[in-house]
Amino acid sequence: MAQQISSSTTVTARDVIKSARGTPTSDGAGVKLTRVIGTPHVKNVGPFLMLDEFRSDEPQDYLAGFPDHPHRGFETFTYMLAGKFRHRDNKGHEGVLGPGGGQWMTAGRGIVHSEMPEQEEGLVWGFQLWINLPASEKMKPADYRDLQPSDIPTATLPGGATARVVSGRVGDVVGPIAERKTAPLFVEVQIPAGGEAVIPVPRGHEAFVYPFEGGVSIGERALARGELALLGEGDEVRLRAAGDAVRALVIAGKPLGEPVVQYGPFVMNTNEQIKEAIRDFQRGEF
Ligand code: CO
């Protein structure tokens, strides 16, 4: 009996089951970026359809920005580390995303927006993550939430590491993004040189880690900066800064288990719904 109780309460660390480097590409009107998820090597991870890292201090890499373009059927989260982007959309929303802040946008049934650099020189660095919506919510009204740096709470972990929690929870610290069907966990973890961090990841979530400053070790696996690690099942992920200090994204979500039919910025469940999305967009019904 005692054994049963102890085995049912055992906490399992998630291991790395696959690692991959991103693919250099460009998007928008010619912004250079690295596609980490949404490539032939790593298509989707749970509800996550795409992860891009954009990082350049060469204005010609980002000045063209992302002029007006549509989205339907999913959510985007843009997380800024350096530089500024101005968002504007056809619902009358406008805002500037700056370092340490971001924007969670629910495209729902449709939105047309632009994301343009708010600077002509200097470093621009950040991420855009695409999160799928369940079939039942793909046609809900568009919505968005701008996050200032102070909107994102920080959890202090044993051993000197910290975790900024955008979505989901780390201990008692809960991110500002409201609970949803995919139950996304989006955490930026910062670990001092030689330190460790343990981030709880709910069982059943598909999860990955992306170190973007310094290399990180998970179990026996050492990952370089820019090396995506897909995690196996478990209750938590244990990260170690074996060399320099580390900054990494820890992201996880509940898989939807529904068909994904993607055509550029439209992500639906059937081909018919994609045709409908194109038709609605062309008729100006976004
Ligand atoms: Co967009």
Side-chain angles (χ1 to χ4, degrees):
M1 194 52 152
Q3 267 181 346
Q4 266 182 4
I5 289 167
S6 71
S7 72
S8 67
T9 54
T10 299
V11 172
T12 308
R14 289 176 178 248
D15 288 323
V16 177
I17 53 172
K18 179 180 175 178
S19 70
R21 296 265 181 187
T23 306
T25 183
S26 72
D27 211 335
V31 177
K32 279 197 188 159
L33 48 82
T34 301
R35 185 141 298 159
V36 181
I37 290 173
T39 68
H41 313 293
V42 183
K43 210 167 173 292
N44 301 338
V45 180
F48 305 109
L49 305 160
M50 195 191 85
L51 176 69
D52 284 345
E53 178 180 16
F54 45 90
R55 181 200 195 194
S56 179
D57 52 13
E58 300 289 337
Q60 69 269 20
D61 289 347
Y62 61 74
L63 274 185
F66 303 88
D68 274 349
H69 60 277
H71 294 281
R72 173 180 277 187
F74 61 103
E75 305 187 272
T76 66
F77 178 57
T78 307
Y79 187 54
M80 296 299 295
L81 302 175
K84 289 180 177 173
F85 266 91
R86 179 176 293 271
H87 152 100
R88 233 185 228 133
D89 69 36
N90 65 340
K91 312 287 176 197
H93 300 309
E94 184 168 348
V96 174
L97 317 181
Q103 183 198 64
W104 196 289
M105 181 181 83
T106 305
R109 71 172 313 283
I111 198 162
V112 178
H113 76 158
S114 62
E115 301 152 290
M116 300 300 288
E118 188 76 353
Q119 63 193 61
E120 289 177 355
E121 54 178 24
L123 177 66
V124 165
W125 190 9
F127 301 94
Q128 189 168 86
L129 178 71
W130 287 14
I131 310 106
N132 207 356
L133 280 169
S136 58
E137 295 178 19
K138 283 185 178 292
M139 294 299 277
K140 72 182 190 180
D143 187 22
Y144 84 138
R145 171 87 198 262
D146 275 345
L147 298 176
Q148 300 305 318
S150 59
D151 294 329
I152 302 174
T154 298
T156 304
L157 307 173
T162 57
R164 302 190 81 218
V165 186
V166 170
S167 177
R169 65 158 60 225
V170 175
D172 295 335
V173 178
V174 179
I177 299 303
E179 192 49 66
R180 58 238 300 124
K181 198 117 182 231
T182 48
L185 174 75
F186 187 109
V187 170
E188 181 202 328
V189 61
Q190 304 191 5
I191 313 171
E196 288 186 353
V198 178
I199 304 294
V201 179
R203 226 164 227 284
H205 276 41
E206 289 193 32
F208 62 90
V209 172
Y210 185 72
F212 59 87
E213 214 174 80
V216 72
S217 292
I218 300 171
E220 300 299 305
R221 288 289 287 276
L223 301 152
R225 188 219 106 74
E227 198 174 359
L228 173 79
L230 304 184
L231 304 179
E233 185 58 288
D235 307 283
E236 61 186 28
V237 57
R238 299 175 191 163
L239 308 150
R240 225 168 46 248
D244 297 334
V246 167
R247 293 175 77 187
L249 300 178
V250 177
I251 297 176
K254 228 186 245 181
L256 289 168
E258 295 171 346
V260 175
V261 183
Q262 177 167 0
Y263 179 76
F266 308 137
V267 184
M268 304 301 291
N269 303 109
T270 67
N271 285 317
E272 190 45 50
Q273 291 168 338
I274 292 291
K275 285 183 200 150
E276 196 178 272
I278 295 167
R279 215 161 47 223
D280 289 353
F281 173 59
Q282 286 169 346
R283 285 179 185 158
E285 288 174 7
F286 271 33

